[in-house]
Amino acid sequence: MNNFEEICSLIGKDKATMNETVLLNHSKDESDHEAVEPDIVVFPESKEDVVKIVQYANKNQIPVVPFGAGSGLEGQAIPVHKGISVNFERMNRIVEVRADDLVVIVQPGITHMQLNEQLKKHGLFFPVDPGADATIGGMASTNASGTLTVRYGGMRNQILNLETVLADGRIIQTGSLAKKSSSGYHLNGLFVGSEGTLGLFTEISLKLHGIPENIVAARCFFKTVRDSVDAAAAILTAGIPIARIELVDSRSIKAVNDYEGTDYPEEPTLFLEFHGNESGNKEDIDLIKAIAEEAGCLEFLFETDSLKRATLWKARHGMNYALRHGSPGLASLTTDVCVPISTLPDNVEFADSQLDALGLKGGIVGHVGDGNFHVMILFDPASHEQIAKAKELEHQIVEFALKSGGTCTGEHGVGIGKRQFQRQEHGDALDVMIDIKKLLDPNNILNPGKVLPAGIEQKI
Amino acid sequence: MNNFEEICSLIGKDKATMNETVLLNHSKDESDHEAVEPDIVVFPESKEDVVKIVQYANKNQIPVVPFGAGSGLEGQAIPVHKGISVNFERMNRIVEVRADDLVVIVQPGITHMQLNEQLKKHGLFFPVDPGADATIGGMASTNASGTLTVRYGGMRNQILNLETVLADGRIIQTGSLAKKSSSGYHLNGLFVGSEGTLGLFTEISLKLHGIPENIVAARCFFKTVRDSVDAAAAILTAGIPIARIELVDSRSIKAVNDYEGTDYPEEPTLFLEFHGNESGNKEDIDLIKAIAEEAGCLEFLFETDSLKRATLWKARHGMNYALRHGSPGLASLTTDVCVPISTLPDNVEFADSQLDALGLKGGIVGHVGDGNFHVMILFDPASHEQIAKAKELEHQIVEFALKSGGTCTGEHGVGIGKRQFQRQEHGDALDVMIDIKKLLDPNNILNPGKVLPAGIEQKI
């Protein structure tokens, strides 16, 4: 029997395919990294299926690449060394809502929007909101975050336990259902963000939060991008527990006005949100308005109406699509640096001016409350000159961030595109990471070619 | 030359001693685990000193045991296999306050009270507040937490970077100064809570928080311990961002009244605190008061006066000492389970009733907002029967917690006393932990005899 037949005999032939269209759909994500088709796509329905697939792959040294919604921005789901793509769409159940514990246990294939839809009736929500409707498994794999992370934390802060299948087929529980623990080594933290290179998740336990009694959104715009980031830094150091504070530059505002039909002033803008009780929010907003005005805010507008609030956040989440939509035929490369807040104005201003200086299209948006911002660099994929300029700008932005004490990726993960910066960012700590990879995946079957720098494969 | 002479020649003879009194002072912590003296105590003054000590120890297979304030409750600082005790008291500087980044970089020997004293003038504070004035290094090593953890998170949530000396003398940076990162494997999480068994910290970067504009404390007491815990669970699930919510049972209230001269009603009590702005706190408190009264609160009292508030938290933090003070001659054993909130009433009621049923003295206090509670079990160290009963009760409490989906230690760490529960709690994940220990410390020189179960040493 060949690999496909053997896998079919192990898990059932309705759970594996070599259909060309399916292979094509598992060859890429939302990045512009080169597509590579897997040899086989499997659709496990249980952890037992996952164990069988991984054990077979390990025995036969075949790469195993987990696949969620395919919405990644760094090529994590692309099977660069071919092999088996493991699509978790049939493992998308809520296993248990433990409302009294503010905990939910899910399978990895559920998306964050599907999850929140089910949580509403409990008065609870899950706060990690990347732009795309990613799966919880994918979000755990890249340590995703989003606009609410400044208040609630990213994936690593929400995860209590990961049921994980290791390269040799053992199933481990990386944590417990306790809200905190000092027992043993913190495997939760190690496996979150490991991008399928250390194990495959089959069940995920998450913290939940009560839907706030009162939510107010606001937007305020500025003359320069520097003013807007200075204002954000001032708001943060005032110690006010803001729920969202997002930067959108004038290029992105223009793109979203064109795409969504909004009429936001086309200036550097902060989108804000406050979660709390009514009187507390009122007091916080008065203070923040004063700080923003002091920092040069031209106008401060509220969106108390829930529809307008929804429009605002839909616009923000759709920024990526709006920018691409406005430039058909162009490819994109998205940076994701995260830097100490005090260095954010310099970092953003540098990116802003270089985008113009290099004559590239694009836009800047950012979770500025965390010091995390994205430069979407658009380029003509047929122009060697533009490709070179886009890559040069990416390098410059990452260099600036690392010199500021920051990181090359705040939330998108390393995948393929950020491997080149791993040695520079982590120094000798990278050797510890490589040793951990070798320890847990000696045959290098788990998502090979990701996270660790190119050239490491041979050593593993 | 013997070991002592060689170490003196490496780091200077004023930084090492074999003085009997000093050895004795490094033989124990605040637990009742058996004291063991180290062979040598060293006082490094720089990371270079630490590297030299560790390299020498690794070459000569001598145990290295980090020592902070000696305030641990699980024997982490006891050199059970003798060797070198590394006291960090001379590495106690603030390296840099980065107020605009809400970040501070410190050496491991500074205590949390010393740190907060220095932060006041910046309007900032560090929120992890264990009962003792532990060092930041010790707190990072055990993933310590405290009364404010329900709002701000424990040590693992605060740590951005650890400069760490590995067993072979390499220095690594486990993170960066960015507030979040998806770059590489999360070594921060792995090293926090590793209790000196994977590396020694020489510099620690921490998140800071703005001192809240308005702080209100309150206490409310109940007829039964179950009522008080039910009230805590109801408050938490209402989604109100409370800053502190602490359970103190009637035994502990009595002990603290005797010790501190307070006149708190000797009933199961919740101590509460709210951080925010004035109007927001007022609205939250009105709601919480209603929830507590619904749950059977007998009286709800405010401590707006800052002196009375300080007295209240001094009383809470001194509970451990108060209970011991009230029973001179008795030894103590402290449990530290942390369980899902919905199971907390059953867990606490079980412990409460068993303490009585076994005829043991003691008391129960807890960070109930996190599902974490401590039973301080007092026993006569000369009575085999009492020792057996105390250990039996500890086992029962941990068994109950693990069956509830909880952990054997929420914040004190594994040390010596919780090693016996590691296999039961972690199952096959323990083997991954053992492999990581072998990988990073092949000669088993870093705090041997801690975290991993007894019997593992031979295998390492």
Side-chain angles (χ1 to χ4, degrees):
Chain A
M1 285 200 287
N2 61 26
N3 287 331
F4 180 67
E5 286 165 354
E6 293 224 35
I7 287 170
C8 286
S9 78
L10 284 169
I11 60 170
K13 64 181 173 182
D14 55 324
K15 299 182 201 165
T17 183
M18 293 178 73
N19 174 293
E20 182 52 37
T21 309
V22 180
L23 295 182
L24 185 66
N25 288 342
H26 291 76
S27 67
K28 56 186 190 304
D29 62 4
E30 288 181 16
S31 72
D32 284 283
H33 290 297
E34 193 187 349
V36 179
E37 288 186 8
D39 298 310
I40 301 168
V41 179
V42 293
F43 298 88
E45 295 176 8
S46 66
K47 63 184 169 192
E48 291 76 16
D49 285 345
V50 177
V51 168
K52 284 176 193 163
I53 295 159
V54 172
Q55 280 179 334
Y56 180 81
N58 196 38
K59 201 175 115 196
N60 298 282
Q61 308 217 9
I62 302 167
V64 171
V65 182
F67 191 97
S71 58
L73 293 169
E74 275 303 351
Q76 284 93 342
I78 300 175
V80 291
H81 296 294
K82 302 191 69 76
I84 305 167
S85 178
V86 184
N87 183 318
F88 282 94
E89 70 181 30
R90 297 187 195 168
M91 290 178 70
N92 67 345
R93 279 191 310 114
I94 292 180
V95 178
E96 190 183 0
V97 178
R98 296 177 58 128
D100 290 346
D101 291 320
L102 301 173
V103 166
V104 67
I105 306 174
V106 300
Q107 292 186 316
I110 194 169
T111 71
H112 65 94
M113 290 184 194
Q114 288 166 350
L115 174 61
N116 274 318
E117 194 54 42
Q118 295 299 315
L119 291 174
K120 259 188 213 163
K121 59 174 175 276
H122 301 281
L124 298 172
F125 80 110
F126 179 70
V128 186
D129 63 335
D133 193 17
T135 63
I136 296 295
M139 290 162 65
S141 295
T142 52
N143 188 30
S145 53
T147 64
L148 288 163
T149 298
V150 63
R151 172 66 173 267
Y152 298 94
M155 284 305 283
R156 200 170 271 132
N157 297 94
Q158 315 300 331
I159 288 180
L160 294 170
N161 185 44
L162 294 163
E163 183 181 81
T164 303
V165 177
L166 300 178
D168 58 10
R170 273 179 299 166
I171 297 176
I172 63 166
Q173 309 293 330
T174 60
S176 71
L177 294 183
K179 260 186 75 182
K180 65 182 196 187
S181 175
S182 289
S183 185
Y185 300 145
H186 190 52
L187 298 185
N188 276 349
L190 183 63
F191 280 87
V192 175
S194 65
E195 304 185 9
T197 65
L198 300 179
L200 270 65
F201 309 144
T202 50
E203 221 170 85
I204 302 171
S205 303
L206 301 166
K207 289 185 202 167
L208 299 176
H209 301 263
I211 294 174
E213 181 195 322
N214 184 263
I215 300 177
V216 184
R219 56 194 161 91
C220 49
F221 53 92
F222 298 81
K223 204 166 172 181
T224 68
V225 75
R226 181 158 200 115
D227 282 353
S228 68
V229 183
D230 279 342
I235 289 167
L236 285 164
T237 46
I240 302 155
I242 199 159
R244 284 169 155 152
I245 179 163
E246 295 283 314
L247 167 72
V248 189
D249 78 345
S250 52
R251 303 174 186 89
S252 308
I253 291 277
K254 184 173 177 345
V256 85
N257 280 344
D258 291 347
Y259 185 64
E260 299 272 2
T262 45
D263 59 350
Y264 300 135
E266 292 177 1
E267 307 285 355
T269 304
L270 292 179
F271 286 3
L272 309 168
E273 196 167 270
F274 304 86
H275 290 183
N277 60 46
E278 195 175 339
S279 30
N281 276 347
K282 201 179 163 311
E283 198 170 323
D284 280 347
I285 291 166
D286 287 347
L287 180 56
I288 283 180
K289 193 160 176 273
I291 293 172
E293 282 166 359
E294 173 83 27
C297 155
L298 300 175
E299 198 172 358
F300 196 101
L301 297 154
F302 294 98
E303 314 275 23
T304 39
D305 177 273
S306 73
L307 190 66
K308 280 198 174 164
R309 213 173 66 221
T311 305
L312 187 149
W313 293 114
K314 183 165 170 277
R316 167 61 192 91
H317 278 128
M319 218 60 91
N320 211 321
Y321 299 99
L323 279 162
R324 298 181 84 157
H325 183 82
S327 299
L330 295 193
S332 69
L333 190 160
T334 306
T335 71
D336 177 39
V337 298
C338 185
V339 299
I341 303 296
S342 71
T343 73
L344 188 64
D346 282 348
N347 272 276
V348 173
E349 196 175 57
F350 172 78
D352 184 63
S353 62
Q354 285 303 96
L355 203 53
D356 286 343
L358 290 166
L360 290 165
K361 286 194 175 185
I364 302 176
V365 296
H367 314 304
V368 286
D370 300 311
N372 182 208
F373 70 98
H374 308 301
V375 185
M376 191 168 191
I377 308 168
L378 297 168
F379 60 96
D380 178 354
S383 157
H384 289 299
E385 192 200 336
Q386 288 224 346
I387 294 172
K389 277 187 183 176
K391 289 195 174 170
E392 185 192 336
L393 180 55
E394 181 191 25
H395 266 268
Q396 289 176 347
I397 290 168
V398 172
E399 291 272 345
F400 204 117
L402 294 183
K403 276 186 196 144
S404 308
T407 176
C408 69
T409 171
E411 58 181 16
H412 294 171
V414 177
I416 296 168
K418 300 299 182 284
R419 291 192 303 161
Q420 60 185 316
F421 305 115
Q422 293 300 291
R423 176 62 69 184
Q424 190 180 349
E425 175 164 344
H426 299 295
D428 287 350
L430 182 64
D431 297 317
V432 175
M433 297 176 196
I434 293 169
D435 286 344
I436 289 174
K437 168 72 174 173
K438 289 179 186 170
L439 174 71
L440 290 173
D441 182 22
N443 295 323
N444 194 24
I445 60 151
L446 297 177
N447 209 357
K450 310 295 163 58
V451 183
L452 303 173
I456 294 299
E457 287 87 348
Q458 293 79 345
K459 286 202 261 168
I460 292 179
Chain B
M1 284 198 289
N2 62 27
N3 286 333
F4 181 67
E5 287 164 354
E6 293 224 37
I7 286 169
C8 287
S9 78
L10 284 169
I11 60 171
K13 64 182 175 184
D14 55 323
K15 300 182 199 163
T17 184
M18 293 180 72
N19 174 291
E20 182 51 39
T21 308
V22 179
L23 296 181
L24 185 66
N25 288 342
H26 292 77
S27 68
K28 56 188 190 302
D29 61 4
E30 287 183 15
S31 72
D32 285 284
H33 290 296
E34 193 187 348
V36 179
E37 288 185 7
D39 297 311
I40 300 167
V41 178
V42 293
F43 299 89
E45 294 175 8
S46 66
K47 64 183 169 191
E48 290 78 15
D49 285 345
V50 177
V51 168
K52 285 176 193 166
I53 294 159
V54 171
Q55 282 179 332
Y56 180 81
N58 196 38
K59 200 176 114 196
N60 295 282
Q61 309 216 9
I62 300 167
V64 171
V65 183
F67 191 96
S71 57
L73 293 169
E74 274 303 351
Q76 283 93 341
I78 301 175
V80 291
H81 295 294
K82 303 190 69 74
I84 304 166
S85 178
V86 183
N87 184 318
F88 281 94
E89 69 182 30
R90 296 188 196 168
M91 290 177 71
N92 66 346
R93 279 190 310 114
I94 292 181
V95 178
E96 189 182 3
V97 179
R98 296 175 60 127
D100 290 346
D101 290 321
L102 302 173
V103 165
V104 67
I105 306 174
V106 301
Q107 291 186 315
I110 194 169
T111 71
H112 65 93
M113 290 183 194
Q114 288 165 353
L115 174 60
N116 274 317
E117 194 55 39
Q118 295 299 315
L119 292 173
K120 258 187 214 165
K121 58 175 173 278
H122 302 280
L124 299 171
F125 79 110
F126 179 70
V128 186
D129 63 334
D133 192 17
T135 63
I136 297 295
M139 289 161 65
S141 296
T142 52
N143 187 29
S145 54
T147 64
L148 287 163
T149 298
V150 63
R151 172 67 172 267
Y152 299 93
M155 284 305 283
R156 200 170 272 131
N157 297 92
Q158 315 301 330
I159 288 180
L160 294 170
N161 185 44
L162 294 164
E163 183 181 81
T164 303
V165 177
L166 300 178
D168 58 11
R170 272 179 301 166
I171 297 177
I172 63 167
Q173 309 293 331
T174 60
S176 72
L177 293 183
K179 262 186 75 182
K180 63 181 197 188
S181 176
S182 288
S183 185
Y185 301 145
H186 190 53
L187 298 184
N188 276 348
L190 183 63
F191 280 86
V192 174
S194 64
E195 303 186 10
T197 65
L198 300 179
L200 270 64
F201 308 144
T202 50
E203 220 169 86
I204 302 172
S205 303
L206 301 167
K207 289 185 202 167
L208 298 176
H209 301 264
I211 295 173
E213 180 195 322
N214 184 263
I215 300 177
V216 184
R219 54 195 161 91
C220 51
F221 53 93
F222 297 81
K223 205 165 171 179
T224 68
V225 76
R226 181 158 200 115
D227 282 353
S228 67
V229 183
D230 279 342
I235 289 167
L236 285 164
T237 46
I240 302 155
I242 198 160
R244 284 170 155 150
I245 179 163
E246 295 283 314
L247 167 72
V248 189
D249 78 344
S250 53
R251 303 174 186 89
S252 307
I253 290 277
K254 186 174 179 339
V256 85
N257 280 344
D258 292 348
Y259 185 63
E260 299 273 1
T262 46
D263 59 350
Y264 300 135
E266 293 178 359
E267 307 284 355
T269 303
L270 293 179
F271 286 1
L272 309 168
E273 195 166 271
F274 305 85
H275 290 183
N277 60 46
E278 194 175 340
S279 30
N281 277 347
K282 200 178 164 313
E283 198 171 321
D284 279 348
I285 292 167
D286 287 347
L287 180 57
I288 284 180
K289 193 161 177 272
I291 293 171
E293 281 166 0
E294 173 83 28
C297 155
L298 300 175
E299 199 173 359
F300 196 100
L301 297 154
F302 294 99
E303 314 274 21
T304 39
D305 177 275
S306 74
L307 189 67
K308 280 199 174 162
R309 212 174 67 219
T311 305
L312 186 148
W313 293 115
K314 184 166 169 276
R316 167 62 193 90
H317 279 130
M319 219 60 94
N320 210 322
Y321 299 98
L323 279 161
R324 298 180 83 155
H325 183 83
S327 298
L330 295 193
S332 69
L333 190 160
T334 306
T335 70
D336 178 38
V337 296
C338 186
V339 299
I341 303 296
S342 70
T343 72
L344 188 63
D346 281 349
N347 272 275
V348 172
E349 194 175 61
F350 173 77
D352 184 64
S353 63
Q354 285 303 96
L355 202 53
D356 287 343
L358 290 166
L360 289 165
K361 286 192 175 187
I364 301 175
V365 296
H367 314 304
V368 287
D370 300 310
N372 182 208
F373 70 98
H374 308 300
V375 186
M376 191 168 192
I377 308 168
L378 298 168
F379 60 95
D380 178 354
S383 158
H384 290 297
E385 193 200 336
Q386 287 222 348
I387 295 172
K389 278 186 182 174
K391 290 195 172 171
E392 184 191 337
L393 180 54
E394 182 192 24
H395 266 267
Q396 289 175 348
I397 290 167
V398 172
E399 291 271 346
F400 204 116
L402 294 183
K403 276 188 196 143
S404 307
T407 176
C408 69
T409 171
E411 58 180 18
H412 294 172
V414 176
I416 296 168
K418 300 299 183 283
R419 290 192 301 162
Q420 61 186 314
F421 305 115
Q422 292 300 291
R423 177 62 70 183
Q424 190 180 349
E425 176 164 345
H426 298 296
D428 286 350
L430 182 63
D431 296 317
V432 175
M433 298 177 197
I434 293 169
D435 285 344
I436 289 174
K437 168 70 174 173
K438 288 179 188 172
L439 174 71
L440 290 173
D441 182 22
N443 294 323
N444 195 24
I445 61 150
L446 297 178
N447 210 358
K450 310 293 163 61
V451 183
L452 303 172
I456 295 298
E457 286 87 348
Q458 293 80 345
K459 285 200 262 168
I460 296 182

